[in-house]
Every structure is written in structure tokens, then in C-alpha cells.
Amino acid sequence: NIVLDELHLISRELFNDKQLYPQFINAIQGRVNKIVTLTATMTDSSRIFLDRISVDLGMDIKFIGIDRQRKKLPAMVYKHTSKVQKIDFIIQRLKKNPKKVIIIDQSRTFIEELQVEIAKQIPHKKANVVTASTDEVYDPVAVLTLGSPSMSTGISIDEKVDLFMVGFNDNIATPESFEQTLARLRNEKGQNSHTEICILVSDREELPVPDFDKIYDLAVQRKLQALEDINLYLKSSFLDERMEEKLKIRDVFLLFDGEQHAYDPDYLKVQAIEQAEHSFTRRIGAITFLRYFKSNPHILSGVEINSIVDMPVPEDADVMQIRKTFDETKDELIEVVKSIEPCKTYAERRRASNTLKEDVHADDTDDDDQYEHDRQRSKLADKRLINSLLERTRQISDNAREDDE
């Protein structure tokens, strides 16, 4: 027997470009009598996955949903108009010296920037940092824990927490991530009945909610357009390094009938759902989900949103301090990039370029007039830095190409 926990994540991981699904089926084929699947958020991708393995393994797999009733904890939503405002809000809360604090944000980059600022302004606060790029795991006795999406699922916080802060990102959040992240804090014994829960989110104006089915159909069309490009390429006599790299990560889910290539239908559905969900959230913003949860308190199982308010405006001196830290961090990054070894292949250049974009990109969504000057200055600095770093990767890649020739 095997247990598949966090089914909503497994279904996506096995049907993405890592091509793990065939390996998974081969590993368990004929070796299991029963499969138990667990998730607090049953998604469309999860249902597609269950139907598929039921067919591929020849097993009758059923899902039983359990709705556990819990006493909900009150939460406040704070809207920010810039990353500086968000960091200052957290710093000011930490300066009040709560005994145990857990901060989870969907952006690993933001957590790393926050860690630097905490070290500068509150050096005595030693953080337990849990991200995909650290070796640390959640430490229940730590007085301050900073976590990226690594902590947003699969972890139970059973200890008494004085301050629990969660940041949702418009570019990362998915519909199930709200329930998953906010349910991390447990209160079975009443230990967190008085925890201050702060939900941090970018401010967005209220807009009409688009039709998700139309966004999904558009995602499918884009995938099929990419498939058409693949078929045209495979019929040609050209050899394109970029297209070959794309084919390598899709060949397991790329079916061939002797004339045309087609996507595995379940791969296409899961991929289109994921793209559509991200696109949907980017259009309406995470704040729209939270407004909906406030009006429909029965949806979230762990918390009940009491109010949605603006974050306090930071002092000018605090703004300048945080901006100074940003500038110092970017200067250090530039020095690191200067030492990058030449890329030998296009694939290496692509990986280096993507890493630079992920590490440098600032998700500052400042819309308030008071922050306009800082926003423009920050965006210009980010743009110059990104262009500088990417130009560096192009130069070293071009040098590598010349060496190959």
C-alpha cells in the first residue's frame, strides 16, 4: 500500500515538463494493492490524475473527502502599495518584540530581502529561514521563522504563535494556495486562539471577475499553437537548438500517430489549468480572492477575515533605510555576476538567464502617489540591473559560441 499526500501538488508535479509520471507508474505497476490519497484542497488536476492512474494501473481508485470542522481564527488583511511599505510594516511589528513569530511569503526573493533588512535593523532577531535555497527545516522552538512557499503546505504549526503573517503574491498564488497556507496554523487545543494573524497583499482596484472558462480555453489554444510549431519543425530539415531543448522536456507527453504529433490529453489539461489559474489570479489580484473570502466566510477552514485595511504609511527615514539596503544588495549581486564563467551551450545560457531574472526581479507594485518617486527610481534601477546582467550572459554565451566555431 502507498499513501500520496498533498495530492493537489503531486498531480501537477507528475504532469509537468519534468516528465515524472511514466517513472511513477513504472515504479508502482504491479507492486501495490491499495493507494490512499490525501489533500485538503481537491482540485481539477487532482481528479484528472486519479482518473488517469486508475486506468493505467487497472485499479478502482476512489477519493473520500473529509470535512473537518474547526474553530476559525480571526485574521486581518493589510493592503500594501509597495514592497518597501510591506517590509516596513513587518519590521515595525517585529520591533514590538512578540515572543514567537512566523512569516510565510510566496516569494522566496522577498523572504531573502526581508531577512537582510531584519539583520540590519533588528540584529538580535536570529531567523530560522526555510526556503528552497536553504538547508534549514522548520524549527518549532525558533522565535522567528521566515518561510517561502516551502512552508505553505505539508507543515503543521502546532506551537503557540504570537504573530502569524502570510504574504500572497499576484504572480504566484493559485486558488488552493489560500486555504493551504492559512491552514498551517493549528488551534486544536486553543493554543493559538489569541494569535495575531496578518495577511499581506498588494492593493488592487475592484474589477469585474473574468470568465475562467475563457481563460482556460485561451491557455489550451496557446499550448496547441506551440504544438503546431513543433509539428512544422519536425517536418522540416532544419536543426534548431532551442526547439530541440523544448522537445527534450516534452517527448514523454508528445504522442505520434505516424503523421502528426499530439499532446497527451491529460498533460494538456493539467498544463492548461495551471496556466489559466495563474493568469486568472494575475488579472484580478490576490486581494479579490480575499474580498470574496470575507464575504463568504465558510470557504476557508482555518481563518475568518474580519476586515481589509490599508497598511500604515512608513516614515521617510525608514523608506530610505530599506532602499539603501536594496541598493547594497544589488551592488553585491553585480560583483557576483561579473565572475560568471562562460556558458558553453545555449541550455546553460538559458538557465543562467532565468536564474538572474528570478533573483533580481523586484515585485514592487507601488500605485500610491506618495511612493511614485521611489517606485520609478526602483523600477529604473531594476531595469538597468536586469539589462546589465542579461547582457553579461549574452556576452559570455557569444564568446562560447565563437570558441565552439
Short mmCIF file of all heavy atoms in Angstrom, two decimals, residues 73-81 85-86 89 93 163-170 178 182 195-204 285-295 300 303-312:
data_model
loop_
_atom_site.label_atom_id
_atom_site.label_comp_id
_atom_site.label_asym_id
_atom_site.label_seq_id
_atom_site.Cartn_x
_atom_site.Cartn_y
_atom_site.Cartn_z
N LEU A 73 -9.93 31.13 13.26
CA LEU A 73 -9.21 32.21 13.92
C LEU A 73 -9.42 33.52 13.17
O LEU A 73 -9.44 33.52 11.93
CB LEU A 73 -7.71 31.88 13.98
CG LEU A 73 -7.35 30.58 14.73
CD1 LEU A 73 -5.87 30.28 14.57
CD2 LEU A 73 -7.73 30.70 16.19
N PRO A 74 -9.58 34.62 13.87
CA PRO A 74 -9.78 35.91 13.20
C PRO A 74 -8.50 36.40 12.51
O PRO A 74 -7.39 36.22 13.04
CB PRO A 74 -10.18 36.85 14.34
CG PRO A 74 -9.57 36.23 15.55
CD PRO A 74 -9.63 34.75 15.34
N ALA A 75 -8.64 36.99 11.34
CA ALA A 75 -7.49 37.49 10.58
C ALA A 75 -7.79 38.87 10.01
O ALA A 75 -8.94 39.20 9.73
CB ALA A 75 -7.14 36.52 9.46
N MET A 76 -6.72 39.64 9.85
CA MET A 76 -6.81 40.97 9.23
C MET A 76 -6.02 40.97 7.93
O MET A 76 -4.92 40.41 7.87
CB MET A 76 -6.23 42.03 10.16
CG MET A 76 -7.05 42.31 11.40
SD MET A 76 -8.30 43.58 11.10
CE MET A 76 -7.27 45.04 10.94
N VAL A 77 -6.58 41.58 6.90
CA VAL A 77 -5.88 41.73 5.62
C VAL A 77 -5.35 43.15 5.54
O VAL A 77 -6.10 44.12 5.73
CB VAL A 77 -6.82 41.44 4.43
CG1 VAL A 77 -6.10 41.72 3.12
CG2 VAL A 77 -7.30 39.99 4.48
N TYR A 78 -4.05 43.26 5.24
CA TYR A 78 -3.41 44.57 5.10
C TYR A 78 -2.95 44.76 3.65
O TYR A 78 -2.19 43.94 3.11
CB TYR A 78 -2.21 44.69 6.03
CG TYR A 78 -2.58 44.73 7.50
CD1 TYR A 78 -2.70 43.55 8.23
CD2 TYR A 78 -2.83 45.94 8.14
CE1 TYR A 78 -3.06 43.58 9.58
CE2 TYR A 78 -3.18 45.98 9.48
CZ TYR A 78 -3.30 44.80 10.19
OH TYR A 78 -3.64 44.84 11.53
N LYS A 79 -3.41 45.82 3.02
CA LYS A 79 -3.07 46.11 1.62
C LYS A 79 -1.85 47.01 1.55
O LYS A 79 -1.78 48.03 2.23
CB LYS A 79 -4.24 46.79 0.92
CG LYS A 79 -5.54 45.97 0.91
CD LYS A 79 -6.65 46.74 0.24
CE LYS A 79 -7.04 47.99 1.04
NZ LYS A 79 -8.13 48.75 0.39
N HIS A 80 -0.89 46.63 0.72
CA HIS A 80 0.29 47.47 0.53
C HIS A 80 0.39 47.92 -0.92
O HIS A 80 -0.14 47.25 -1.83
CB HIS A 80 1.57 46.73 0.94
CG HIS A 80 1.80 45.44 0.21
ND1 HIS A 80 2.35 45.38 -1.05
CD2 HIS A 80 1.54 44.15 0.57
CE1 HIS A 80 2.44 44.12 -1.44
NE2 HIS A 80 1.94 43.35 -0.48
N THR A 81 1.05 49.04 -1.12
CA THR A 81 1.22 49.58 -2.47
C THR A 81 2.67 49.51 -2.93
O THR A 81 2.98 49.94 -4.04
CB THR A 81 0.74 51.04 -2.54
OG1 THR A 81 1.42 51.80 -1.56
CG2 THR A 81 -0.76 51.13 -2.30
N GLN A 85 6.86 49.42 1.65
CA GLN A 85 5.82 49.54 2.66
C GLN A 85 5.58 48.20 3.35
O GLN A 85 5.39 48.14 4.58
CB GLN A 85 4.52 50.03 2.01
CG GLN A 85 3.41 50.33 3.00
CD GLN A 85 2.11 50.71 2.32
OE1 GLN A 85 1.86 50.33 1.17
NE2 GLN A 85 1.26 51.46 3.01
N LYS A 86 5.61 47.14 2.59
CA LYS A 86 5.39 45.81 3.14
C LYS A 86 6.50 45.42 4.12
O LYS A 86 6.23 44.92 5.23
CB LYS A 86 5.31 44.80 1.99
CG LYS A 86 5.06 43.36 2.39
CD LYS A 86 4.99 42.49 1.14
CE LYS A 86 4.83 41.01 1.47
NZ LYS A 86 4.80 40.18 0.24
N PHE A 89 6.26 47.50 7.32
CA PHE A 89 5.16 47.04 8.17
C PHE A 89 5.60 45.85 9.02
O PHE A 89 5.33 45.78 10.23
CB PHE A 89 3.97 46.65 7.29
CG PHE A 89 2.80 46.09 8.04
CD1 PHE A 89 1.92 46.93 8.70
CD2 PHE A 89 2.57 44.72 8.09
CE1 PHE A 89 0.82 46.41 9.39
CE2 PHE A 89 1.49 44.19 8.78
CZ PHE A 89 0.61 45.05 9.43
N ARG A 93 6.29 45.66 13.21
CA ARG A 93 5.63 44.64 14.03
C ARG A 93 6.67 43.86 14.84
O ARG A 93 6.46 43.55 16.02
CB ARG A 93 4.83 43.67 13.15
CG ARG A 93 3.46 44.19 12.73
CD ARG A 93 2.51 44.25 13.92
NE ARG A 93 1.12 44.33 13.55
CZ ARG A 93 0.48 45.44 13.19
NH1 ARG A 93 1.13 46.59 13.18
NH2 ARG A 93 -0.80 45.42 12.88
N LEU A 163 2.54 35.99 16.57
CA LEU A 163 2.30 36.74 15.34
C LEU A 163 2.50 35.84 14.14
O LEU A 163 3.58 35.27 13.95
CB LEU A 163 3.25 37.95 15.27
CG LEU A 163 3.18 38.81 14.00
CD1 LEU A 163 1.78 39.41 13.83
CD2 LEU A 163 4.23 39.91 14.04
N PHE A 164 1.45 35.68 13.34
CA PHE A 164 1.49 34.84 12.14
C PHE A 164 1.17 35.73 10.95
O PHE A 164 0.07 36.28 10.84
CB PHE A 164 0.46 33.72 12.27
CG PHE A 164 0.47 32.73 11.13
CD1 PHE A 164 1.60 32.01 10.81
CD2 PHE A 164 -0.68 32.50 10.38
CE1 PHE A 164 1.61 31.08 9.77
CE2 PHE A 164 -0.70 31.59 9.34
CZ PHE A 164 0.46 30.87 9.03
N MET A 165 2.15 35.87 10.04
CA MET A 165 1.98 36.76 8.88
C MET A 165 2.13 35.94 7.60
O MET A 165 3.07 35.13 7.47
CB MET A 165 3.00 37.89 8.92
CG MET A 165 3.04 38.66 10.22
SD MET A 165 4.20 40.06 10.21
CE MET A 165 3.17 41.33 9.48
N VAL A 166 1.23 36.16 6.66
CA VAL A 166 1.26 35.45 5.39
C VAL A 166 1.15 36.45 4.25
O VAL A 166 0.23 37.29 4.24
CB VAL A 166 0.10 34.43 5.29
CG1 VAL A 166 0.09 33.77 3.91
CG2 VAL A 166 0.21 33.38 6.38
N GLY A 167 2.08 36.39 3.30
CA GLY A 167 2.05 37.27 2.14
C GLY A 167 1.70 36.51 0.88
O GLY A 167 2.32 35.49 0.56
N PHE A 168 0.68 36.97 0.17
CA PHE A 168 0.27 36.35 -1.09
C PHE A 168 0.72 37.22 -2.25
O PHE A 168 0.65 38.45 -2.20
CB PHE A 168 -1.24 36.15 -1.14
CG PHE A 168 -1.73 35.08 -0.20
CD1 PHE A 168 -2.40 35.42 0.97
CD2 PHE A 168 -1.50 33.75 -0.47
CE1 PHE A 168 -2.84 34.45 1.85
CE2 PHE A 168 -1.94 32.76 0.41
CZ PHE A 168 -2.60 33.12 1.56
N ASN A 169 1.21 36.56 -3.31
CA ASN A 169 1.77 37.24 -4.47
C ASN A 169 0.87 37.02 -5.68
O ASN A 169 0.52 35.88 -6.00
CB ASN A 169 3.18 36.70 -4.73
CG ASN A 169 3.91 37.44 -5.82
OD1 ASN A 169 3.46 37.48 -6.96
ND2 ASN A 169 5.05 38.02 -5.48
N ASP A 170 0.51 38.11 -6.37
CA ASP A 170 -0.40 38.01 -7.52
C ASP A 170 0.15 37.09 -8.61
O ASP A 170 -0.63 36.48 -9.35
CB ASP A 170 -0.65 39.40 -8.12
CG ASP A 170 -1.45 40.30 -7.21
OD1 ASP A 170 -1.98 39.79 -6.20
OD2 ASP A 170 -1.54 41.51 -7.47
N PHE A 178 -4.50 29.68 -0.93
CA PHE A 178 -5.01 30.45 0.20
C PHE A 178 -5.40 29.51 1.34
O PHE A 178 -5.01 29.72 2.49
CB PHE A 178 -6.22 31.29 -0.24
CG PHE A 178 -5.88 32.32 -1.29
CD1 PHE A 178 -6.08 32.05 -2.64
CD2 PHE A 178 -5.35 33.54 -0.94
CE1 PHE A 178 -5.77 32.98 -3.61
CE2 PHE A 178 -5.05 34.49 -1.91
CZ PHE A 178 -5.25 34.21 -3.24
N LEU A 182 -3.00 29.29 4.81
CA LEU A 182 -3.63 29.81 6.03
C LEU A 182 -4.01 28.69 7.01
O LEU A 182 -4.21 28.95 8.19
CB LEU A 182 -4.86 30.64 5.67
CG LEU A 182 -4.56 31.95 4.92
CD1 LEU A 182 -5.84 32.57 4.40
CD2 LEU A 182 -3.81 32.92 5.83
N THR A 195 -3.68 34.45 18.69
CA THR A 195 -2.63 34.80 17.73
C THR A 195 -3.07 35.96 16.83
O THR A 195 -4.20 35.97 16.34
CB THR A 195 -2.28 33.59 16.85
OG1 THR A 195 -1.87 32.50 17.68
CG2 THR A 195 -1.17 33.93 15.87
N GLU A 196 -2.16 36.90 16.62
CA GLU A 196 -2.43 37.98 15.66
C GLU A 196 -2.10 37.46 14.27
O GLU A 196 -0.95 37.11 13.99
CB GLU A 196 -1.59 39.22 15.97
CG GLU A 196 -1.86 40.36 15.00
CD GLU A 196 -0.98 41.58 15.21
OE1 GLU A 196 -0.07 41.52 16.07
OE2 GLU A 196 -1.18 42.59 14.51
N ILE A 197 -3.10 37.39 13.41
CA ILE A 197 -2.92 36.88 12.05
C ILE A 197 -3.04 38.03 11.07
O ILE A 197 -4.09 38.69 10.99
CB ILE A 197 -3.95 35.78 11.72
CG1 ILE A 197 -3.82 34.62 12.71
CG2 ILE A 197 -3.76 35.28 10.29
CD1 ILE A 197 -4.85 33.53 12.51
N CYS A 198 -1.96 38.27 10.33
CA CYS A 198 -1.93 39.35 9.34
C CYS A 198 -1.72 38.77 7.95
O CYS A 198 -0.74 38.04 7.72
CB CYS A 198 -0.79 40.33 9.66
SG CYS A 198 -0.86 41.06 11.29
N ILE A 199 -2.60 39.08 7.03
CA ILE A 199 -2.48 38.65 5.64
C ILE A 199 -2.06 39.87 4.82
O ILE A 199 -2.76 40.89 4.82
CB ILE A 199 -3.81 38.08 5.12
CG1 ILE A 199 -4.26 36.90 6.01
CG2 ILE A 199 -3.67 37.63 3.68
CD1 ILE A 199 -5.65 36.38 5.68
N LEU A 200 -0.93 39.77 4.13
CA LEU A 200 -0.35 40.88 3.40
C LEU A 200 -0.54 40.67 1.90
O LEU A 200 -0.21 39.61 1.36
CB LEU A 200 1.14 41.02 3.72
CG LEU A 200 1.53 40.86 5.21
CD1 LEU A 200 3.03 41.03 5.38
CD2 LEU A 200 0.76 41.84 6.07
N VAL A 201 -1.06 41.70 1.23
CA VAL A 201 -1.38 41.53 -0.18
C VAL A 201 -1.31 42.88 -0.89
O VAL A 201 -1.55 43.94 -0.30
CB VAL A 201 -2.80 40.92 -0.33
CG1 VAL A 201 -3.85 41.86 0.21
CG2 VAL A 201 -3.10 40.50 -1.75
N SER A 202 -0.96 42.85 -2.17
CA SER A 202 -0.92 44.08 -2.98
C SER A 202 -2.32 44.63 -3.17
O SER A 202 -3.28 43.89 -3.38
CB SER A 202 -0.30 43.79 -4.35
OG SER A 202 1.04 43.40 -4.25
N ASP A 203 -2.42 45.95 -3.11
CA ASP A 203 -3.72 46.59 -3.31
C ASP A 203 -4.05 46.62 -4.79
O ASP A 203 -3.19 46.85 -5.64
CB ASP A 203 -3.68 48.02 -2.74
CG ASP A 203 -5.07 48.63 -2.64
OD1 ASP A 203 -6.05 47.87 -2.78
OD2 ASP A 203 -5.17 49.85 -2.42
N ARG A 204 -5.29 46.36 -5.11
CA ARG A 204 -5.79 46.42 -6.49
C ARG A 204 -7.21 46.94 -6.44
O ARG A 204 -7.96 46.66 -5.50
CB ARG A 204 -5.79 45.03 -7.14
CG ARG A 204 -4.41 44.41 -7.33
CD ARG A 204 -3.79 44.81 -8.63
NE ARG A 204 -4.47 44.19 -9.75
CZ ARG A 204 -4.13 42.99 -10.26
NH1 ARG A 204 -3.16 42.28 -9.73
NH2 ARG A 204 -4.77 42.51 -11.31
N GLY A 285 -5.88 39.80 -9.14
CA GLY A 285 -5.12 40.04 -7.93
C GLY A 285 -5.57 39.16 -6.78
O GLY A 285 -6.75 38.79 -6.68
N ALA A 286 -4.63 38.84 -5.90
CA ALA A 286 -4.95 38.01 -4.74
C ALA A 286 -5.97 38.70 -3.83
O ALA A 286 -6.77 38.04 -3.16
CB ALA A 286 -3.67 37.70 -3.96
N ILE A 287 -5.97 40.03 -3.84
CA ILE A 287 -6.89 40.77 -2.99
C ILE A 287 -8.34 40.46 -3.33
O ILE A 287 -9.22 40.45 -2.46
CB ILE A 287 -6.63 42.31 -3.11
CG1 ILE A 287 -7.54 43.10 -2.18
CG2 ILE A 287 -6.81 42.76 -4.54
CD1 ILE A 287 -7.32 42.84 -0.74
N THR A 288 -8.63 40.16 -4.60
CA THR A 288 -10.00 39.84 -5.00
C THR A 288 -10.46 38.53 -4.35
O THR A 288 -11.63 38.41 -3.93
CB THR A 288 -10.10 39.74 -6.53
OG1 THR A 288 -9.68 40.98 -7.10
CG2 THR A 288 -11.52 39.46 -6.98
N PHE A 289 -9.56 37.55 -4.28
CA PHE A 289 -9.89 36.30 -3.59
C PHE A 289 -10.21 36.59 -2.12
O PHE A 289 -11.18 36.06 -1.58
CB PHE A 289 -8.72 35.32 -3.67
CG PHE A 289 -8.61 34.59 -4.98
CD1 PHE A 289 -7.84 35.10 -6.00
CD2 PHE A 289 -9.29 33.40 -5.18
CE1 PHE A 289 -7.73 34.43 -7.20
CE2 PHE A 289 -9.18 32.71 -6.38
CZ PHE A 289 -8.40 33.24 -7.40
N LEU A 290 -9.40 37.43 -1.48
CA LEU A 290 -9.59 37.70 -0.06
C LEU A 290 -10.87 38.47 0.21
O LEU A 290 -11.55 38.25 1.22
CB LEU A 290 -8.37 38.46 0.47
CG LEU A 290 -7.07 37.64 0.42
CD1 LEU A 290 -5.86 38.52 0.71
CD2 LEU A 290 -7.12 36.48 1.40
N ARG A 291 -11.22 39.37 -0.70
CA ARG A 291 -12.51 40.06 -0.57
C ARG A 291 -13.66 39.05 -0.66
O ARG A 291 -14.65 39.14 0.08
CB ARG A 291 -12.65 41.12 -1.66
CG ARG A 291 -11.74 42.34 -1.48
CD ARG A 291 -11.91 43.31 -2.63
NE ARG A 291 -11.06 44.48 -2.51
CZ ARG A 291 -10.31 44.97 -3.49
NH1 ARG A 291 -10.32 44.38 -4.68
NH2 ARG A 291 -9.56 46.04 -3.30
N TYR A 292 -13.50 38.09 -1.56
CA TYR A 292 -14.53 37.06 -1.72
C TYR A 292 -14.62 36.19 -0.46
O TYR A 292 -15.72 35.86 0.00
CB TYR A 292 -14.20 36.20 -2.94
CG TYR A 292 -15.21 35.11 -3.21
CD1 TYR A 292 -16.44 35.40 -3.78
CD2 TYR A 292 -14.91 33.78 -2.90
CE1 TYR A 292 -17.37 34.40 -4.02
CE2 TYR A 292 -15.84 32.77 -3.14
CZ TYR A 292 -17.07 33.09 -3.71
OH TYR A 292 -17.98 32.10 -3.95
N PHE A 293 -13.47 35.83 0.11
CA PHE A 293 -13.47 35.01 1.33
C PHE A 293 -14.10 35.78 2.49
O PHE A 293 -14.75 35.16 3.34
CB PHE A 293 -12.04 34.61 1.70
CG PHE A 293 -11.37 33.72 0.68
CD1 PHE A 293 -10.00 33.80 0.45
CD2 PHE A 293 -12.11 32.81 -0.06
CE1 PHE A 293 -9.39 32.99 -0.48
CE2 PHE A 293 -11.50 31.99 -1.00
CZ PHE A 293 -10.14 32.08 -1.21
N LYS A 294 -13.90 37.08 2.53
CA LYS A 294 -14.50 37.88 3.59
C LYS A 294 -16.03 37.85 3.48
O LYS A 294 -16.74 37.76 4.49
CB LYS A 294 -14.00 39.32 3.55
CG LYS A 294 -14.54 40.21 4.66
CD LYS A 294 -13.93 41.61 4.59
CE LYS A 294 -14.46 42.48 5.73
NZ LYS A 294 -15.91 42.69 5.67
N SER A 295 -16.52 37.92 2.24
CA SER A 295 -17.97 37.90 2.03
C SER A 295 -18.55 36.50 2.16
O SER A 295 -19.76 36.33 2.37
CB SER A 295 -18.29 38.46 0.63
OG SER A 295 -17.83 39.78 0.49
N LEU A 300 -12.92 29.30 3.69
CA LEU A 300 -11.65 28.99 4.35
C LEU A 300 -11.91 28.23 5.64
O LEU A 300 -12.79 28.60 6.42
CB LEU A 300 -10.87 30.27 4.65
CG LEU A 300 -10.38 31.08 3.43
CD1 LEU A 300 -9.70 32.36 3.88
CD2 LEU A 300 -9.44 30.25 2.56
N VAL A 303 -9.26 30.23 8.99
CA VAL A 303 -9.37 31.62 9.44
C VAL A 303 -10.65 32.25 8.94
O VAL A 303 -11.27 31.77 7.98
CB VAL A 303 -8.16 32.46 8.96
CG1 VAL A 303 -6.84 31.87 9.42
CG2 VAL A 303 -8.18 32.63 7.44
N GLU A 304 -11.03 33.33 9.58
CA GLU A 304 -12.15 34.15 9.14
C GLU A 304 -11.67 35.59 9.04
O GLU A 304 -11.14 36.15 10.01
CB GLU A 304 -13.31 34.06 10.13
CG GLU A 304 -14.53 34.85 9.70
CD GLU A 304 -15.73 34.61 10.61
OE1 GLU A 304 -15.67 33.66 11.42
OE2 GLU A 304 -16.71 35.36 10.50
N ILE A 305 -11.79 36.17 7.86
CA ILE A 305 -11.29 37.52 7.62
C ILE A 305 -12.26 38.54 8.20
O ILE A 305 -13.40 38.65 7.75
CB ILE A 305 -11.06 37.76 6.12
CG1 ILE A 305 -10.00 36.79 5.60
CG2 ILE A 305 -10.66 39.20 5.86
CD1 ILE A 305 -9.81 36.82 4.10
N ASN A 306 -11.79 39.28 9.19
CA ASN A 306 -12.64 40.26 9.85
C ASN A 306 -12.70 41.58 9.11
O ASN A 306 -13.76 42.22 9.01
CB ASN A 306 -12.15 40.50 11.28
CG ASN A 306 -12.51 39.35 12.21
OD1 ASN A 306 -13.31 38.49 11.85
ND2 ASN A 306 -11.91 39.32 13.38
N SER A 307 -11.56 42.03 8.59
CA SER A 307 -11.54 43.32 7.90
C SER A 307 -10.36 43.39 6.94
O SER A 307 -9.39 42.63 7.05
CB SER A 307 -11.47 44.47 8.91
OG SER A 307 -10.32 44.35 9.72
N ILE A 308 -10.47 44.31 5.98
CA ILE A 308 -9.42 44.57 4.99
C ILE A 308 -9.08 46.05 5.07
O ILE A 308 -9.94 46.90 4.83
CB ILE A 308 -9.88 44.19 3.57
CG1 ILE A 308 -10.26 42.70 3.52
CG2 ILE A 308 -8.79 44.49 2.56
CD1 ILE A 308 -10.82 42.25 2.17
N VAL A 309 -7.83 46.37 5.42
CA VAL A 309 -7.44 47.76 5.66
C VAL A 309 -6.13 48.07 4.94
O VAL A 309 -5.42 47.17 4.48
CB VAL A 309 -7.27 48.04 7.17
CG1 VAL A 309 -8.58 47.80 7.91
CG2 VAL A 309 -6.16 47.17 7.76
N ASP A 310 -5.82 49.37 4.84
CA ASP A 310 -4.55 49.80 4.26
C ASP A 310 -3.43 49.68 5.28
O ASP A 310 -3.64 49.91 6.48
CB ASP A 310 -4.64 51.26 3.80
CG ASP A 310 -5.62 51.45 2.66
OD1 ASP A 310 -5.77 50.50 1.85
OD2 ASP A 310 -6.24 52.53 2.58
N MET A 311 -2.24 49.36 4.82
CA MET A 311 -1.09 49.37 5.70
C MET A 311 -0.74 50.80 6.10
O MET A 311 -0.97 51.74 5.32
CB MET A 311 0.13 48.76 5.00
CG MET A 311 0.20 47.26 5.03
SD MET A 311 1.76 46.69 4.32
CE MET A 311 1.45 44.92 4.31
N PRO A 312 -0.15 50.99 7.28
CA PRO A 312 0.30 52.32 7.67
C PRO A 312 1.37 52.84 6.72
O PRO A 312 2.15 52.06 6.15
CB PRO A 312 0.87 52.11 9.08
CG PRO A 312 0.25 50.84 9.55
CD PRO A 312 0.04 50.00 8.35
#
